[in-house]
Amino acid sequence: MENILFINLLMVVAAAVAAPLLLGIVPRLRLPVAVLEILLGILIGPAGLRLAVVDSTVAALALIGLAFLLFLAGAEIAFDTLGRLIRPAALGFLLSFGLALLISYGLQALGIIESPLLLAITLAATALGIVVGILNQANETQTTFGQLVIAGASIADFGTVILLTLFFSRTSAGVGVQILLVGGLALLALVVVLTVQRAEHSKRLRTVQQRLEGNSAEIRIRSALLLLVGFAALAERLGVEVILGAFLAGAILGLVDREDGVAHRVFRQKLNAIGYGVFIPIFLVTTGMRFDIGDLFANTSNLMLIPLLLGVLLLVRGLPALLYWSILGGKSALSAGLFQATSLPFIVATVQIGVELHLISRSFGAALVAVGLLSVVLFPLGALALLPSRGEQVIVQTRNRNLNNGLRHEKSIE
């Protein structure tokens, strides 16, 4: 029995290795590695060649992968950036969610869907981890454009995770109880942040940490893993979604691990290596294995909904980026809208919850996952194509700076 379990895991890991190798060998195949991992999962899974199934071992590692993805997404939140750009980013999310609610309830009135609130929450999210990776490759994370996109995606991820936990928990607790539980978990996160920040002032602890972090003890990595597993376990114990606990753990890490230098960069590189090199690919390949093409084609009406839902996703997350027009300029604002409309991991999570709660059919869930796959393939390519050159960005930023200086000068004269 153990050999069979390891054979399934072997096939999953082989697909995870094959995805980046294939992209490296065939550079013209311009696909995000996450999409190829899911496609290879479909190929080796029950809907394809039937080389592997999702057994208990693979399922457990995939759940850890999902938690790690949310953990690293939370850790990518740039709180300094949020302080400067929180207003346009927050307004953009509120507009997104408002549009999503309006369209979703409209689709319900037409008899197209049955759970409008779940669909609205699903459509308001952004794949923060995927977007940050693409921005890193394009050297845009430190620009005003990149920071605004990350701020918008961070608020969208945090907002949708909270909303999903409040309204669609897999426990029987009411919304009021869920609010108390989420508030308690957030309060505990704040206590952890303050405790760690206070402990950092201890010279003895810092000396011990420096002695243990550069050898086989890897104390910072172990502490980060403890943080992730601790908050995920606590969320599970409280009846709150595990993804919220993982996301909060990542946000805590982002707040307490803000130092600069070689040690900090190496720590983040090691953490990313564990996540993106081990657990997250298993989650993505497993997502493909669970994706049943038969479910997708079982209902022709749901299959026909894919282009409609893709357009709705682009409208819901892309249109609010027009609020960035005065900050970024026209092309960059449109590019930001396409980045914000890129969504996949959260769609996968909500589909799993929706199917378990019998709020959506497996066929409709498969259509939503297909929409997420298409968004990850199409929208980042369009966003990078629209992104202006460095020179054009400097012109836009200089124009905005001169405009702000002129307004301040006029106010001083008055």
Side-chain angles (χ1 to χ4, degrees):
M1 183 65 179
E2 292 181 358
N3 290 333
I4 295 175
L5 293 179
F6 273 98
I7 287 175
N8 288 324
L9 182 58
L10 172 63
M11 296 306 302
V12 172
V13 174
V17 172
L21 277 179
L22 185 58
L23 291 176
I25 294 171
V26 189
R28 293 182 180 180
L29 190 63
R30 300 185 65 185
L31 286 175
V33 66
V35 174
L36 192 54
E37 286 165 345
I38 293 176
L39 293 177
L40 290 177
I42 296 174
L43 179 65
I44 68 172
L49 300 177
R50 300 183 180 181
L51 299 176
V53 296
V54 182
D55 56 37
S56 58
T57 302
V58 173
L61 291 174
L63 181 58
I64 296 174
L66 175 60
F68 229 109
L69 183 62
L70 271 296
F71 175 68
L72 293 180
E76 291 290 351
I77 297 176
F79 288 94
D80 293 339
T81 299
L82 280 179
R84 298 192 303 271
L85 303 172
I86 191 168
R87 188 168 182 268
L91 287 175
F93 173 69
L94 290 175
L95 180 56
S96 282
F97 189 56
L99 285 172
L101 284 173
L102 184 65
I103 294 173
S104 297
Y105 277 96
L107 293 175
Q108 183 195 39
L110 295 173
I112 297 176
I113 63 170
E114 297 180 357
S115 183
L117 182 56
L118 179 62
L119 179 62
I121 294 172
T122 303
L123 294 175
T126 295
L128 176 62
I130 294 175
V131 168
V132 169
I134 296 171
L135 290 174
N136 268 326
Q137 292 176 357
N139 297 317
E140 290 287 346
T141 53
Q142 299 304 316
T143 65
T144 301
F145 169 82
Q147 290 178 351
L148 189 51
V149 171
I150 292 172
S154 300
I155 292 175
D157 263 23
F158 192 75
T160 49
V161 168
I162 292 290
L163 290 170
L164 183 68
T165 301
L166 292 179
F167 293 103
F168 296 101
S169 174
R170 280 171 275 201
T171 64
S172 58
V175 175
V177 176
Q178 290 293 327
I179 291 175
L180 291 176
L181 293 175
V182 171
L185 200 60
L187 182 61
L188 178 61
L190 179 61
V191 171
V192 171
V193 169
L194 295 176
T195 302
V196 173
Q197 289 178 341
R198 186 175 182 84
E200 286 179 344
H201 294 293
S202 170
K203 293 183 178 179
R204 183 177 181 182
L205 284 177
R206 290 184 67 86
T207 302
V208 171
Q209 175 187 325
Q210 291 171 1
R211 187 174 71 247
L212 295 177
E213 69 182 12
N215 53 36
S216 59
E218 293 290 359
I219 192 65
R220 296 180 79 173
I221 297 295
R222 297 187 189 202
S223 300
L225 186 61
L226 174 63
L227 186 64
L228 166 60
V229 176
F231 268 83
L234 182 59
E236 185 179 44
R237 183 69 175 175
L238 293 175
V240 178
E241 289 301 327
V242 171
I243 58 175
L244 175 61
F247 192 81
L248 280 176
I252 293 171
L253 181 67
L255 281 169
V256 301
D257 184 54
R258 301 172 65 181
E259 65 184 60
D260 199 6
V262 176
H264 168 76
R265 290 194 295 271
V266 171
F267 165 61
R268 287 304 182 96
Q269 288 170 0
K270 291 178 179 178
L271 207 56
N272 286 334
I274 296 172
Y276 291 108
V278 182
F279 294 108
I280 295 174
I282 293 177
F283 162 68
L284 292 169
V285 173
T286 305
T287 297
M289 293 171 65
R290 287 170 169 160
F291 185 78
D292 194 337
I293 297 180
D295 287 338
L296 183 62
F297 288 94
N299 190 325
T300 308
S301 60
N302 284 333
L303 185 62
M304 295 174 63
L305 279 177
I306 292 177
L308 172 63
L309 292 174
L310 186 65
V312 170
L313 177 63
L314 179 58
L315 177 66
V316 165
R317 292 299 291 139
L319 186 62
L322 295 178
L323 294 172
Y324 310 158
W325 194 288
S326 61
I327 302 173
L328 302 176
K331 284 186 177 181
S332 292
L334 294 176
S335 178
L338 287 170
F339 272 125
Q340 289 188 163
T342 302
S343 182
L344 180 61
F346 188 77
I347 290 178
V348 172
T350 55
V351 164
Q352 291 179 2
I353 293 172
V355 170
E356 288 180 17
L357 296 178
H358 305 290
L359 296 173
I360 60 175
S361 65
R362 295 183 66 88
S363 176
F364 184 74
L368 279 175
V369 173
V371 168
L373 285 169
L374 289 173
S375 76
V376 173
V377 172
L378 300 176
F379 294 160
L381 293 177
L384 292 174
L386 282 172
L387 199 59
S389 65
R390 292 287 185 185
E392 291 174 333
Q393 291 181 42
V394 170
I395 291 172
V396 171
Q397 293 173 8
T398 303
R399 183 196 64 195
N400 291 334
R401 187 162 54 248
N402 291 338
L403 178 61
N404 292 332
N405 290 337
L407 290 174
R408 284 196 294 268
H409 179 65
E410 290 178 2
K411 288 182 179 179
S412 65
I413 294 176
E414 292 176 357

